Amino acid sequence: MITLPKNIKILLIITLVQCLLWSVYIVFLKPQLGNTSIEAVVRSIIRVSIVGIPALLYIRFYEKKRIKDYINKNNLEVALKWGLLGSIIIFLFFLFSTHFTNFKFPLDFPAWMNWIIGSPLTEELYFRCIVLKELLKRYNPLVSVIVSSSLFLAFHMPQWIFTMHVGEIIIPALTIFAYGLGFSFLWIKTKSIFGALLPHSLNNFLYMATSLVR
């Protein structure tokens, strides 16, 4: 029987609660709001809060550390270089896999609050700067990356499993898991949130701009 360290158990519980809360929103609240501007704002606030608040509470009250200890601005130059490299790869991926004739610069507030700024920032803080970092203290990099990427995927699953057929879930699930692997690699190389934050934000921006997500 595998005995998990206390902090890993806490992080697993937090992720489970995040998944449950996001599921409650998708199943019960979203249908009531419909596809409206109010729903977009509510969705943005809930999504960012579900990830960001537990991350901040974990850092402040469990680890008793400062947020900047997790963000790590000391490796900023290295992080920006790797982040730029990751961003170029993301851009090329979109360039050769989507039709840029559909490009439309997203101007609405919820798009920036949720997809482009809020979600990338809070998800990188939690899944890479906290979860991956804690896993790496106790397990080898391969196990740590796979587990953290799996939890990253699990958080995204509710928006698919309640709205899509099983066959339709495979590609987005594999895509999100691959992103988790890539962002984890960038964090390991830089030990800074900025290494993965730049390509993560650019990825979400391009999804919005090319109408793949609305």
Side-chain angles (χ1 to χ4, degrees), residues 87-88 90-91 94 197-207:
S87 297
I88 292 174
I90 292 289
F91 178 78
F94 273 85
L197 180 59
L198 292 180
H200 193 159
S201 294
L202 176 64
N203 174 78
N204 289 12
F205 169 81
L206 291 175
Y207 262 101

Side-chain angles (χ1 to χ4, degrees), residues 108-123:
D108 53 306
F109 173 74
W112 285 87
M113 178 182 177
N114 180 10
W115 289 99
I116 303 170
I117 298 177
S119 288
L121 180 61
T122 54
E123 287 174 8

Side-chain angles (χ1 to χ4, degrees), residues 28-48:
F28 297 105
L29 185 56
K30 189 178 188 302
Q32 300 300 319
L33 297 174
N35 295 320
T36 63
S37 57
I38 295 177
E39 188 277 331
V41 173
V42 172
R43 175 189 178 95
S44 301
I45 294 173
I46 291 178
R47 186 177 176 88
V48 171

Side-chain angles (χ1 to χ4, degrees), residues 9-23 50 126-127 151 154-155 158:
K9 290 180 181 179
I10 290 175
L11 292 175
L12 290 176
I13 292 173
I14 289 175
T15 305
L16 175 60
V17 172
Q18 291 170 336
C19 293
L20 290 175
L21 291 175
W22 191 232
S23 297
I50 286 174
Y126 180 71
F127 289 103
L151 295 179
F155 174 69

